[in-house]
Coordinates of all heavy atoms in Angstrom, one line a residue:
M289 N 88.4 93.6 103.9 CA 87.9 92.3 104.3 C 86.8 92.5 105.4 O 86.9 93.4 106.2 CB 89.1 91.5 104.9 CG 90.3 91.4 104.0 SD 91.8 91.1 105.0 CE 92.6 89.9 103.9
N290 N 85.9 91.6 105.3 CA 84.8 91.6 106.3 C 84.2 90.2 106.3 O 84.7 89.3 105.6 CB 83.7 92.6 105.8 CG 83.1 93.3 107.0 OD1 82.8 92.6 108.0 ND2 82.9 94.6 107.0
E291 N 83.1 90.0 107.0 CA 82.4 88.7 107.0 C 81.3 88.8 106.0 O 80.4 89.4 106.2 CB 81.9 88.3 108.4 CG 82.9 88.0 109.4 CD 83.5 89.1 110.2 OE1 82.7 89.9 110.7 OE2 84.7 89.2 110.3
F292 N 81.5 88.1 104.8 CA 82.6 87.3 104.4 C 82.9 87.6 102.9 O 82.5 87.0 102.0 CB 82.3 85.8 104.4 CG 82.1 85.3 105.9 CD1 80.9 85.3 106.5 CD2 83.2 84.8 106.6 CE1 80.8 84.9 107.8 CE2 83.1 84.4 107.9 CZ 81.9 84.4 108.5
S293 N 83.6 88.7 102.7 CA 83.9 89.2 101.4 C 85.0 90.1 101.4 O 85.5 90.6 102.5 CB 82.6 89.9 100.8 OG 82.4 91.1 101.5
Y294 N 85.5 90.4 100.2 CA 86.5 91.5 99.9 C 85.8 92.6 99.3 O 85.2 92.5 98.3 CB 87.6 90.9 99.0 CG 88.4 89.7 99.5 CD1 88.1 88.5 99.0 CD2 89.3 89.8 100.5 CE1 88.8 87.3 99.5 CE2 90.0 88.7 101.0 CZ 89.7 87.5 100.4 OH 90.4 86.4 100.9
S295 N 86.0 93.8 99.8 CA 85.3 95.0 99.2 C 85.8 95.4 97.9 O 85.1 96.1 97.2 CB 85.4 96.2 100.2 OG 86.7 96.6 100.3
T296 N 87.0 95.0 97.5 CA 87.5 95.4 96.2 C 86.8 94.7 95.0 O 86.8 95.2 93.9 CB 89.0 94.9 96.0 OG1 89.0 93.5 96.3 CG2 89.9 95.7 96.9
G297 N 86.2 93.6 95.2 CA 85.7 92.8 94.1 C 87.0 92.3 93.3 O 88.1 92.2 93.9
D298 N 86.8 92.0 92.1 CA 87.9 91.4 91.3 C 89.0 92.5 91.1 O 88.7 93.7 91.0 CB 87.4 90.9 90.0 CG 86.5 89.7 90.1 OD1 86.5 89.1 91.3 OD2 85.9 89.3 89.2
I299 N 90.2 92.0 90.9 CA 91.4 93.0 90.7 C 92.0 92.6 89.4 O 92.3 91.5 89.1 CB 92.4 92.8 91.9 CG1 91.7 93.1 93.2 CG2 93.6 93.7 91.6 CD1 92.7 92.7 94.4
K300 N 92.4 93.7 88.6 CA 93.1 93.5 87.4 C 94.5 94.0 87.5 O 94.7 95.2 88.0 CB 92.4 94.2 86.2 CG 91.3 93.5 85.6 CD 90.8 94.2 84.3 CE 89.6 93.5 83.8 NZ 88.9 94.3 82.7
V301 N 95.5 93.3 87.1 CA 96.9 93.7 87.2 C 97.6 93.4 85.9 O 97.1 92.6 85.1 CB 97.7 93.1 88.4 CG1 97.0 93.5 89.7 CG2 97.8 91.6 88.3
K302 N 98.8 93.9 85.7 CA 99.6 93.6 84.5 C 100.6 92.5 84.9 O 101.1 92.5 86.0 CB 100.3 94.8 84.0 CG 99.4 95.9 83.5 CD 100.1 97.0 82.7 CE 99.2 97.9 82.0 NZ 98.3 98.6 82.9
A303 N 100.9 91.7 83.9 CA 101.9 90.6 84.1 C 103.2 91.2 84.6 O 103.7 92.2 84.0 CB 102.1 89.8 82.9
G304 N 103.8 90.7 85.6 CA 105.0 91.2 86.1 C 105.0 92.5 86.9 O 106.0 92.9 87.4
E305 N 103.8 93.0 87.1 CA 103.6 94.3 87.8 C 103.9 94.1 89.3 O 103.5 93.1 89.9 CB 102.2 94.8 87.6 CG 102.0 96.2 88.1 CD 100.6 96.7 87.8 OE1 99.7 95.9 87.3 OE2 100.3 97.9 88.1
K306 N 104.6 95.1 89.9 CA 104.8 95.1 91.3 C 103.5 95.7 92.0 O 103.1 96.8 91.7 CB 106.0 96.0 91.7 CG 107.3 95.3 91.4 CD 108.5 96.1 91.9 CE 109.8 95.4 91.9 NZ 110.0 94.6 90.7
I307 N 103.0 94.9 92.9 CA 101.7 95.3 93.6 C 102.0 95.6 95.1 O 102.7 94.8 95.7 CB 100.7 94.2 93.5 CG1 100.5 93.7 92.0 CG2 99.4 94.6 94.1 CD1 100.0 94.8 91.1
H308 N 101.4 96.7 95.6 CA 101.5 97.0 97.0 C 100.1 96.8 97.6 O 99.2 97.6 97.3 CB 102.0 98.4 97.2 CG 102.1 98.8 98.7 ND1 103.1 98.3 99.5 CD2 101.3 99.6 99.4 CE1 102.9 98.8 100.7 NE2 101.9 99.6 100.7
F309 N 99.9 95.7 98.3 CA 98.6 95.4 98.9 C 98.4 96.1 100.2 O 99.4 96.1 101.0 CB 98.4 93.9 99.2 CG 98.1 93.0 98.0 CD1 99.1 92.3 97.4 CD2 96.8 92.9 97.5 CE1 98.8 91.5 96.3 CE2 96.5 92.0 96.5 CZ 97.5 91.4 95.8
V310 N 97.3 96.8 100.4 CA 96.9 97.3 101.7 C 95.7 96.6 102.1 O 94.6 96.8 101.5 CB 96.7 98.8 101.7 CG1 96.3 99.4 103.0 CG2 98.0 99.5 101.2
L311 N 95.8 95.8 103.1 CA 94.7 94.9 103.5 C 94.1 95.3 104.9 O 94.8 95.2 105.9 CB 95.2 93.4 103.6 CG 96.0 92.9 102.4 CD1 96.8 91.7 102.7 CD2 94.9 92.6 101.3
T312 N 92.9 95.8 104.9 CA 92.3 96.2 106.1 C 91.2 95.2 106.5 O 90.3 94.9 105.6 CB 91.7 97.6 106.0 OG1 92.7 98.5 105.8 CG2 91.0 98.0 107.3
N313 N 91.2 94.6 107.7 CA 90.2 93.7 108.1 C 89.2 94.5 109.0 O 89.5 94.8 110.1 CB 90.9 92.6 108.9 CG 89.8 91.6 109.4 OD1 88.6 91.8 109.3 ND2 90.3 90.4 109.9
S314 N 88.1 94.8 108.4 CA 87.0 95.5 109.1 C 86.1 94.6 109.9 O 85.1 95.1 110.5 CB 86.2 96.4 108.2 OG 87.0 97.2 107.4
G315 N 86.4 93.3 109.9 CA 85.5 92.3 110.5 C 85.8 92.1 111.9 O 86.6 92.8 112.6
K316 N 85.2 91.0 112.4 CA 85.4 90.7 113.9 C 86.1 89.4 114.0 O 86.4 88.9 115.2 CB 84.0 90.5 114.5 CG 83.3 91.9 114.6 CD 82.0 91.8 115.4 CE 81.4 93.1 115.8 NZ 81.3 94.1 114.7
V317 N 86.5 88.7 112.9 CA 87.4 87.5 113.0 C 88.5 87.7 112.0 O 88.5 88.5 111.1 CB 86.5 86.3 112.6 CG1 85.4 86.1 113.6 CG2 86.0 86.3 111.2
E318 N 89.5 86.8 112.2 CA 90.7 86.8 111.3 C 90.4 86.5 109.9 O 89.6 85.6 109.6 CB 91.8 85.9 111.9 CG 93.1 85.9 111.2 CD 94.1 85.0 111.8 OE1 93.7 84.1 112.6 OE2 95.3 85.1 111.4
H319 N 91.0 87.2 108.9 CA 90.8 86.9 107.5 C 92.2 86.8 106.8 O 93.2 87.2 107.5 CB 89.9 87.9 106.8 CG 88.5 87.9 107.3 ND1 87.7 86.8 107.1 CD2 87.8 88.9 107.9 CE1 86.5 87.1 107.6 NE2 86.5 88.3 108.1
D320 N 92.2 86.4 105.6 CA 93.5 86.4 104.9 C 93.3 86.5 103.4 O 92.1 86.4 102.9 CB 94.4 85.2 105.3 CG 94.2 84.0 104.4 OD1 93.1 83.8 103.9 OD2 95.2 83.2 104.3
I321 N 94.4 86.6 102.6 CA 94.3 86.4 101.2 C 95.3 85.2 101.0 O 96.4 85.2 101.6 CB 94.7 87.6 100.4 CG1 96.1 88.2 100.7 CG2 93.7 88.7 100.4 CD1 96.6 89.2 99.7
N322 N 94.9 84.3 100.1 CA 95.7 83.1 99.9 C 95.5 82.6 98.5 O 94.4 82.5 97.9 CB 95.2 82.0 100.9 CG 96.1 80.8 100.9 OD1 96.0 80.0 99.9 ND2 97.0 80.7 101.8
N323 N 96.7 82.3 97.9 CA 96.7 81.5 96.6 C 98.1 80.9 96.6 O 99.1 81.6 96.5 CB 96.5 82.4 95.4 CG 96.6 81.6 94.1 OD1 97.6 81.0 93.8 ND2 95.5 81.6 93.4
D324 N 98.1 79.6 96.7 CA 99.4 78.8 96.8 C 100.3 79.0 95.6 O 101.5 79.3 95.6 CB 99.2 77.4 97.0 CG 98.6 77.1 98.4 OD1 98.8 77.9 99.3 OD2 98.0 76.0 98.6
E325 N 99.6 78.9 94.4 CA 100.4 79.0 93.1 C 101.0 80.4 93.0 O 102.2 80.5 92.5 CB 99.4 78.8 92.0 CG 100.1 78.8 90.6 CD 99.0 78.7 89.4 OE1 97.8 78.6 89.7 OE2 99.5 78.8 88.3
L326 N 100.4 81.4 93.5 CA 100.9 82.8 93.4 C 101.8 83.2 94.6 O 102.3 84.3 94.6 CB 99.8 83.8 93.3 CG 98.8 83.7 92.1 CD1 97.7 84.7 92.2 CD2 99.6 83.8 90.8
K327 N 102.0 82.2 95.5 CA 102.7 82.5 96.7 C 102.2 83.7 97.5 O 102.9 84.6 98.0 CB 104.2 82.6 96.4 CG 104.8 81.4 95.9 CD 106.3 81.5 95.7 CE 107.0 80.2 95.3 NZ 106.4 79.6 94.1
L328 N 100.9 83.8 97.5 CA 100.2 84.9 98.3 C 99.6 84.3 99.5 O 98.9 83.3 99.5 CB 99.0 85.4 97.4 CG 99.2 86.7 96.6 CD1 97.9 87.0 95.8 CD2 99.7 87.8 97.4
D329 N 100.0 84.9 100.6 CA 99.4 84.4 101.9 C 99.7 85.5 103.0 O 100.8 85.7 103.4 CB 100.1 83.1 102.3 CG 99.4 82.5 103.6 OD1 98.4 82.9 103.9 OD2 100.0 81.5 104.1
K330 N 98.6 86.1 103.3 CA 98.8 87.2 104.3 C 97.5 87.2 105.3 O 96.4 87.4 104.8 CB 98.9 88.6 103.7 CG 99.3 89.7 104.6 CD 100.7 89.6 105.0 CE 101.1 90.7 106.0 NZ 102.5 90.5 106.4
D331 N 97.8 86.9 106.5 CA 96.7 87.0 107.5 C 96.6 88.4 108.1 O 97.5 89.1 108.2 CB 97.1 86.1 108.7 CG 97.1 84.6 108.3 OD1 96.5 84.2 107.3 OD2 97.6 83.8 109.1
V332 N 95.3 88.7 108.4 CA 95.1 90.1 109.0 C 94.1 89.9 110.1 O 93.0 89.3 110.0 CB 94.5 91.1 107.9 CG1 94.4 92.4 108.6 CG2 95.3 91.1 106.7
Q333 N 94.6 90.3 111.3 CA 93.7 90.2 112.5 C 92.6 91.2 112.4 O 92.7 92.3 111.8 CB 94.6 90.5 113.7 CG 95.7 89.5 114.0 CD 95.2 88.1 114.2 OE1 94.2 87.9 114.9 NE2 95.9 87.1 113.7
P334 N 91.5 90.9 113.1 CA 90.3 91.9 113.1 C 90.7 93.3 113.5 O 91.5 93.4 114.5 CB 89.3 91.2 114.0 CG 90.0 90.1 114.7 CD 91.2 89.7 113.9
G335 N 90.3 94.3 112.8 CA 90.6 95.7 113.2 C 92.0 96.1 112.8 O 92.3 97.3 113.0
K336 N 92.7 95.3 112.1 CA 94.1 95.6 111.7 C 94.3 95.9 110.2 O 93.4 95.4 109.4 CB 95.1 94.5 112.2 CG 95.1 94.3 113.6 CD 95.7 95.4 114.4 CE 95.8 95.0 115.9 NZ 96.3 96.1 116.7
T337 N 95.3 96.6 109.9 CA 95.7 96.7 108.5 C 97.1 96.2 108.3 O 98.0 96.5 109.1 CB 95.7 98.2 108.1 OG1 94.3 98.7 108.2 CG2 96.2 98.4 106.7
E338 N 97.3 95.4 107.3 CA 98.6 94.9 106.9 C 98.9 95.2 105.5 O 98.1 95.4 104.7 CB 98.6 93.3 107.0 CG 98.3 92.8 108.4 CD 99.4 92.8 109.4 OE1 100.6 93.1 109.0 OE2 99.2 92.6 110.6
T339 N 100.2 95.4 105.2 CA 100.6 95.6 103.8 C 101.5 94.4 103.3 O 102.1 93.7 104.1 CB 101.4 96.9 103.7 OG1 102.6 96.8 104.4 CG2 100.6 98.1 104.1
L340 N 101.5 94.3 102.0 CA 102.2 93.2 101.4 C 102.7 93.6 100.0 O 101.9 94.1 99.2 CB 101.3 92.0 101.2 CG 101.9 90.8 100.5 CD1 103.0 90.1 101.4 CD2 100.8 89.7 100.3
D341 N 104.0 93.5 99.8 CA 104.6 93.8 98.4 C 104.8 92.5 97.7 O 105.3 91.5 98.3 CB 105.9 94.6 98.6 CG 105.7 96.0 99.0 OD1 105.0 96.7 98.3 OD2 106.2 96.3 100.1
W342 N 104.3 92.5 96.5 CA 104.2 91.2 95.7 C 104.3 91.5 94.2 O 104.0 92.6 93.8 CB 102.9 90.6 96.1 CG 102.5 89.4 95.3 CD1 102.8 88.1 95.6 CD2 101.6 89.3 94.2 NE1 102.2 87.2 94.7 CE2 101.5 88.0 93.8 CE3 100.9 90.3 93.5 CZ2 100.7 87.5 92.8 CZ3 100.1 89.8 92.4 CH2 100.0 88.5 92.1
T343 N 104.9 90.6 93.5 CA 105.0 90.8 92.1 C 104.1 89.8 91.3 O 104.1 88.6 91.6 CB 106.4 90.5 91.6 OG1 107.3 91.4 92.3 CG2 106.6 90.8 90.1
A344 N 103.3 90.4 90.4 CA 102.3 89.5 89.7 C 103.1 88.6 88.8 O 104.2 88.9 88.4 CB 101.4 90.4 88.8
P345 N 102.5 87.4 88.5 CA 103.2 86.4 87.7 C 103.3 86.9 86.2 O 102.6 87.8 85.8 CB 102.3 85.2 87.8 CG 100.9 85.7 88.1 CD 101.2 87.0 88.9
S346 N 104.3 86.3 85.5 CA 104.4 86.7 84.1 C 103.4 86.0 83.2 O 103.1 86.4 82.1 CB 105.8 86.3 83.6 OG 106.1 85.0 83.9
K347 N 102.8 85.0 83.8 CA 101.8 84.2 83.0 C 100.4 84.9 83.2 O 99.9 85.0 84.3 CB 101.7 82.8 83.6 CG 100.9 81.9 82.8 CD 101.1 80.4 83.2 CE 99.9 79.5 82.8 NZ 99.3 78.8 83.9
T348 N 99.8 85.3 82.1 CA 98.5 85.9 82.2 C 97.4 84.8 82.5 O 97.6 83.6 82.3 CB 98.1 86.6 80.9 OG1 98.1 85.6 79.8 CG2 99.1 87.7 80.5
G349 N 96.3 85.3 83.0 CA 95.2 84.4 83.3 C 94.4 84.9 84.5 O 94.6 86.0 85.0
T350 N 93.4 84.1 84.9 CA 92.6 84.5 86.0 C 92.9 83.5 87.2 O 92.8 82.3 87.0 CB 91.1 84.4 85.7 OG1 90.8 85.3 84.6 CG2 90.2 84.7 86.8
Y351 N 93.3 84.1 88.3 CA 93.6 83.3 89.5 C 92.6 83.6 90.6 O 92.2 84.8 90.8 CB 95.0 83.8 89.9 CG 96.1 83.6 88.9 CD1 96.4 84.5 87.9 CD2 96.9 82.4 88.9 CE1 97.4 84.3 87.0 CE2 97.9 82.2 88.0 CZ 98.2 83.2 87.0 OH 99.2 83.0 86.1
Q352 N 92.3 82.6 91.3 CA 91.3 82.8 92.4 C 92.1 83.0 93.7 O 92.9 82.2 94.1 CB 90.4 81.6 92.5 CG 89.3 81.9 93.5 CD 88.3 80.7 93.7 OE1 88.7 79.6 94.0 NE2 87.0 81.0 93.6
I353 N 91.8 84.1 94.4 CA 92.3 84.4 95.7 C 91.2 84.0 96.7 O 90.0 84.4 96.5 CB 92.7 85.8 95.9 CG1 93.9 86.1 95.0 CG2 93.0 86.1 97.4 CD1 94.4 87.5 95.0
I354 N 91.5 83.3 97.8 CA 90.5 83.0 98.8 C 91.0 83.4 100.2 O 92.1 83.7 100.4 CB 90.3 81.4 98.8 CG1 91.5 80.7 99.2 CG2 89.8 80.9 97.4 CD1 91.3 79.3 99.7
C355 N 90.0 83.4 101.1 CA 90.3 83.4 102.5 C 90.3 82.0 102.9 O 89.3 81.3 102.8 CB 89.3 84.2 103.3 SG 89.6 84.3 105.0
D356 N 91.5 81.5 103.5 CA 91.6 80.1 103.8 C 91.2 79.8 105.3 O 91.4 78.7 105.7 CB 93.0 79.6 103.5 CG 94.1 80.1 104.4 OD1 93.8 80.9 105.3 OD2 95.2 79.6 104.3
K357 N 90.6 80.8 106.0 CA 90.1 80.4 107.3 C 88.9 79.5 107.1 O 88.1 79.7 106.2 CB 89.7 81.7 108.1 CG 90.8 82.7 108.2 CD 92.0 82.1 108.8 CE 93.3 83.0 108.5 NZ 94.5 82.3 108.8
P358 N 88.7 78.6 108.1 CA 87.7 77.5 107.8 C 86.3 78.1 107.5 O 85.7 78.9 108.3 CB 87.7 76.7 109.2 CG 89.0 77.0 109.7 CD 89.4 78.4 109.3
G359 N 85.7 77.6 106.4 CA 84.4 78.0 106.0 C 84.2 79.3 105.2 O 83.2 79.6 104.7
H360 N 85.3 80.1 105.2 CA 85.1 81.5 104.7 C 85.0 81.5 103.2 O 84.2 82.2 102.6 CB 86.3 82.4 105.1 CG 86.3 82.7 106.5 ND1 86.9 83.8 107.0 CD2 85.7 82.1 107.6 CE1 86.8 83.8 108.4 NE2 86.0 82.8 108.7
K361 N 85.8 80.6 102.5 CA 85.7 80.5 101.0 C 84.2 80.1 100.7 O 83.6 80.6 99.7 CB 86.7 79.4 100.5 CG 86.6 79.2 99.0 CD 87.5 78.1 98.6 CE 87.3 77.7 97.1 NZ 88.0 76.5 96.8
E362 N 83.7 79.1 101.4 CA 82.4 78.6 101.1 C 81.3 79.6 101.3 O 80.3 79.6 100.7 CB 82.1 77.3 102.0 CG 82.9 76.1 101.7 CD 84.4 76.2 102.1 OE1 84.8 77.1 102.9 OE2 85.2 75.4 101.6
K363 N 81.6 80.6 102.2 CA 80.6 81.7 102.4 C 80.8 82.8 101.4 O 80.2 83.9 101.6 CB 80.8 82.2 103.9 CG 80.2 81.2 104.9 CD 80.4 81.7 106.3 CE 79.7 80.7 107.3 NZ 80.4 80.6 108.6
G364 N 81.7 82.6 100.5 CA 81.8 83.6 99.4 C 83.0 84.5 99.5 O 83.1 85.5 98.7
M365 N 84.0 84.2 100.4 CA 85.1 85.0 100.5 C 86.2 84.7 99.5 O 87.2 84.0 99.8 CB 85.7 85.0 101.9 CG 86.4 86.2 102.3 SD 86.6 86.4 104.0 CE 87.6 87.9 104.0
T366 N 85.9 85.1 98.2 CA 86.9 84.8 97.1 C 86.9 86.0 96.2 O 85.9 86.9 96.3 CB 86.4 83.6 96.3 OG1 85.2 84.0 95.6 CG2 86.2 82.4 97.1
L367 N 87.9 86.2 95.5 CA 87.9 87.2 94.4 C 88.8 86.7 93.3 O 89.7 85.8 93.5 CB 88.4 88.6 94.9 CG 89.8 88.8 95.4 CD1 90.7 89.1 94.2 CD2 89.9 89.9 96.4
N368 N 88.6 87.2 92.1 CA 89.5 86.9 91.0 C 90.5 87.9 90.8 O 90.2 89.1 90.8 CB 88.6 86.8 89.7 CG 87.8 85.5 89.7 OD1 88.2 84.5 90.1 ND2 86.5 85.7 89.2
L369 N 91.8 87.4 90.7 CA 92.9 88.3 90.3 C 93.2 88.0 88.8 O 93.6 86.9 88.5 CB 94.1 88.0 91.2 CG 95.2 89.0 90.9 CD1 95.5 89.9 92.1 CD2 96.5 88.2 90.5
I370 N 92.9 89.0 88.0 CA 93.1 88.9 86.6 C 94.4 89.5 86.1 O 94.6 90.7 86.4 CB 91.9 89.5 85.8 CG1 90.6 88.9 86.3 CG2 92.1 89.4 84.3 CD1 89.4 89.8 86.2
V371 N 95.3 88.6 85.6 CA 96.6 89.1 85.2 C 96.5 89.2 83.6 O 96.3 88.3 82.9 CB 97.7 88.1 85.6 CG1 99.1 88.6 85.1 CG2 97.7 87.9 87.1
E372 N 96.8 90.5 83.1 CA 96.6 90.8 81.7 C 98.0 91.0 81.1 O 98.9 91.5 81.7 CB 95.8 92.0 81.5 CG 94.4 91.8 82.1 CD 93.5 93.1 81.8 OE1 94.0 94.2 82.0 OE2 92.3 92.9 81.5
Ligands
LIG647 CU1 87.9 85.2 106.0

C-alpha cells in the first residue's frame, strides 16, 4: 500500500480458498483494504505490516477492494479480486 495504490495490482484466487494476506503500508498515511460483501476490512498504519487470514467466497466473480480512507478510492486506490 502506498499513496494511492496497491502494488499487487489485481489478485486471482480460487473459490473457497484460504488466503493469508500480508499487508505492508509503505506510505505516510493510514490505508486499508475493504469490501463489505466479502467481510474484508483491515486498517494498516503507515510503516506497519498487518496480516489477515480470510476465506474467499464460494461465489465466483470479480469483487472490488478499495481503501475506504476519505478520498483514497477516488485517487485510484482500488484493485479487483477475481474469484475463479
Ligand atoms: Cu488509502
Side-chain angles (χ1 to χ4, degrees):
M289 305 156 141
N290 214 317
E291 288 88 49
F292 291 91
S293 64
Y294 299 104
S295 64
T296 55
D298 294 347
I299 300 172
K300 278 188 187 172
V301 301
K302 293 190 170 63
E305 188 177 6
K306 286 185 167 44
I307 308 296
H308 181 71
F309 283 98
V310 179
L311 305 162
T312 298
N313 183 350
S314 306
K316 292 186 166 52
V317 299
E318 186 178 11
H319 295 296
D320 90 332
I321 57 169
N322 187 283
N323 180 300
D324 289 340
E325 184 185 355
L326 299 178
K327 297 184 171 57
L328 263 179
D329 187 11
K330 189 73 180 179
D331 292 344
V332 187
Q333 298 297 321
K336 300 290 185 187
T337 296
E338 301 280 351
T339 61
L340 176 67
D341 289 301
W342 173 83
T343 303
S346 54
K347 188 172 163 236
T348 60
T350 299
Y351 301 84
Q352 188 182 49
I353 293 176
I354 65 162
C355 179
D356 72 355
K357 305 304 163 196
H360 292 201
K361 179 188 173 188
E362 290 73 16
K363 287 176 175 149
M365 204 161 178
T366 70
L367 68 85
N368 288 320
L369 183 115
I370 301 154
V371 179
E372 302 180 316

